[in-house]
Amino acid sequence: MKVGIDKMGFYVPKFYLDMEDLAHARGVEVDKYKIGIGQHQTALLSPLEDIVTMAIEAAYDIIQDDKDCIDTILLATESAVDFSKSAGNYVHKMLGLGTHVRILEVKQACYAATGALQLACDYVRIQPDKKVLVLSSDVAWYGFDTPGEATQGAGAIALLVSVNPRLAEVHKGTFVTEDLADFYRPTYSEIPIVDGKLSIRCYTSMLQQVDPGIDYVYTCFHLPFASMADKANKALQIPLSKEKVDITKRFGMMIGNIYNGSLFLSLLSVLVYAKEELSNQTIGMYSYGSGAIGEFFSVTIQDGFESVVNRRQLIEKIEHRQAVSFSSYEELMTLFASKERLENFVPTMKYLSDYNRFVIAKIDRGNRIYQAL
Ligand code: CAA
């Protein structure tokens, strides 16, 4: 029985900062960010949004025909807004799903969405009449004037998992786990504690331990920053051509790190920009979560996948965004990082536009109220 991704949804915030503006403000050569790190833009959350609104936006269109058979939501994030309540409860309500749904928030750095996808595949294997909604929603925030600042981003991915998937059959992976201190965010800290160089070595070393050495038409990578694809590709036993690697990172370079969703953003890039016929082709997928787990799995793109992948709409999502100034970036991220916002908050309508379908209405003693527009 085939199991895998029936449909995939994606959300990126409307605002972004051009890396040239960040480089000028930080006194860094633009080429370091655009060529060395490979980032051209970084997506920025507006005050009306959070991981919940992004997850709702990513999932909304793909679940409309399947509301009755979705009985599980697995929400992967490392940007949790609550230590206890799952962000999935808010998402579930705003998506208008029934009370028969089981919800879990899952955490394993940037790997959690892959782990959730594999568990969801096993779940529908034994309950083929059910579908599972796997969500990833994250804000990568390292703090002002830190080395990680050039590798930030925000966005969400939704994967509807079922038997006889229309988009991609998911195959079981090979994974490796170890206790590493490359990147972690203790509960006292708003930003992660990162040893950047160590994290790159851990990412690559785990890739080498799980790489099956198969000549896939493409291999997609977890992309903490776009040029990580080049480093990862060099570490493969059978590397891709430069032209193909560039295709795997096209969305990532315009959005930045979206943590759990980054690997799937890389897959979307391939679905949108690949020059080859992808039907019945198998694509390698390398997932890495600091702390750490690495998993290599593969997906086989299904015949007729074009019926569930709207290439034009995906490109428009990236192209129709709006650049903001460096001072607006400072304003937006200062607000994002303020602890007060987690307790009581009514967002300014200054950033309201017809781009958002769901926004935060208010936060009241930590409880979040959302509004469909
Ligand atoms: N023109 C072209 N290239 C230039 C340049 C210029 N003028 N100036 C510098 N460069 C190059 C450097 O040579 C370097 O290239 P290589 O990596 O190929 O050597 C690249 O630009 C970056 O320069 P630095 O290494 O000096 O950059 P940095 O020390 O300031 O920080 C970073 C880079 C470590 C990625 C940092 O941004 C960081 O810590 N980011 C967060 C952690 C991270 O993303 N880790 C990745 C693996 S962990 C993971 O995957 C989980 C996750 O999601 C976080």
Side-chain angles (χ1 to χ4, degrees):
M1 183 194 297
K2 282 186 188 176
V3 298
I5 304 167
D6 189 45
K7 288 189 201 163
M8 175 150 48
F10 156 61
Y11 179 76
V12 62
K14 176 178 178 169
F15 301 112
Y16 70 87
L17 178 67
D18 195 294
M19 296 305 281
E20 197 166 329
D21 295 337
L22 182 64
H24 291 323
R26 298 295 176 229
V28 169
E29 285 178 31
V30 175
D31 283 354
K32 172 173 174 179
Y33 291 167
K34 292 207 169 176
I35 297 170
I37 290 177
Q39 285 307 134
H40 288 228
Q41 299 170 356
T42 180
L44 299 174
L45 212 62
S46 91
L48 294 152
E49 300 172 312
D50 62 6
I51 58 160
V52 174
T53 61
M54 291 197 296
I56 302 167
E57 300 268 11
Y60 187 78
D61 293 332
I62 67 165
I63 56 120
Q64 292 308 321
D65 299 334
D66 293 290
K67 285 189 177 181
D68 291 338
C69 44
I70 296 171
D71 80 340
T72 304
I73 297 176
L74 301 176
L75 190 149
T77 188
E78 54 186 302
S79 328
V81 292
D82 196 300
F83 287 138
S84 182
K85 180 172 176 175
S86 168
N89 279 72
Y90 298 116
V91 176
H92 166 264
K93 176 181 172 188
M94 296 309 291
L95 290 178
L97 295 170
T99 51
H100 62 283
V101 179
R102 178 191 279 137
I103 302 165
L104 290 170
E105 186 166 306
V106 288
K107 174 178 69 181
Q108 183 55 56
C110 304
Y111 168 79
T114 295
L117 171 63
Q118 292 290 5
L119 293 176
C121 287
D122 285 342
Y123 183 82
V124 298
R125 234 176 234 120
I126 53 169
Q127 299 206 66
D129 57 328
K130 304 292 185 213
K131 294 193 179 186
V132 178
L133 181 59
V134 174
L135 300 171
S136 90
S137 191
D138 271 308
V139 183
W141 162 241
Y142 291 85
F144 294 121
D145 215 356
T146 57
E149 190 181 30
T151 63
Q152 296 177 155
I157 293 279
L159 307 170
L160 189 61
V161 177
S162 73
V163 296
N164 302 321
R166 279 171 283 183
L167 177 47
E169 180 181 6
V170 174
H171 305 290
K172 285 181 184 294
T174 305
F175 42 89
V176 58
T177 297
E178 216 179 312
D179 176 14
L180 300 173
D182 60 328
F183 172 112
Y184 54 98
R185 180 157 76 87
T187 46
Y188 69 80
S189 180
E190 286 303 310
I191 54 168
I193 296 168
V194 190
D195 183 335
K197 299 282 187 274
L198 173 66
S199 70
I200 292 169
R201 286 200 302 278
C202 294
Y203 175 116
T204 314
S205 147
M206 283 195 164
L207 170 58
Q208 287 170 327
Q209 292 173 59
V210 292
D211 171 15
I214 295 172
D215 190 11
Y216 292 114
V217 59
Y218 281 93
T219 290
C220 296
F221 304 101
H222 165 57
L223 290 182
F225 52 94
S227 67
M228 191 67 223
D230 303 286
K231 295 182 196 302
N233 187 53
K234 272 191 202 130
L236 289 178
Q237 294 172 60
I238 308 177
L240 304 171
S241 66
K242 182 182 174 327
E243 192 193 352
K244 284 192 174 180
V245 178
D246 286 349
I247 286 172
T248 68
K249 59 186 186 182
R250 283 202 43 189
F251 278 172
M253 62 199 273
M254 310 305 270
I255 293 171
N257 195 357
I258 61 166
Y259 287 159
N260 275 284
S262 291
L263 171 63
F264 301 96
L265 204 54
S266 180
L267 178 60
L268 276 180
S269 288
V270 170
L271 294 174
V272 169
Y273 294 112
K275 300 202 172 61
E276 306 71 9
E277 170 55 62
L278 291 178
S279 295
N280 301 312
Q281 297 269 23
T282 298
I283 295 177
M285 302 278 284
Y286 176 61
S287 180
Y288 176 75
S290 292
I293 293 189
E295 174 165 342
F296 200 110
F297 65 105
S298 63
V299 298
T300 301
I301 305 303
Q302 300 299 288
D303 242 346
F305 76 96
E306 296 90 346
S307 70
V308 286
V309 176
N310 188 331
R311 288 186 166 111
R312 193 184 45 80
Q313 208 177 56
L314 286 163
I315 293 170
E316 276 174 10
K317 275 194 186 181
I318 311 277
E319 286 180 349
H320 289 180
R321 294 173 307 147
Q322 187 183 318
V324 299
S325 64
F326 180 76
S327 61
S328 295
Y329 157 69
E330 288 183 306
E331 180 195 330
L332 289 172
M333 294 319 289
T334 301
L335 181 60
F336 171 78
S338 73
K339 273 232 180 289
E340 295 69 34
R341 182 178 183 273
L342 295 171
E343 192 181 346
N344 291 306
F345 175 66
V346 178
T348 158
M349 289 298 134
K350 181 174 144 191
Y351 292 96
L352 188 64
S353 73
D354 56 9
Y355 188 85
N356 295 95
R357 295 179 291 179
F358 299 91
V359 294
I360 304 174
K362 67 172 175 174
I363 300 175
D364 181 10
R365 288 199 313 135
N367 186 46
R368 287 166 183 255
I369 317 277
Y370 295 92
Q371 188 183 340
L373 298 175

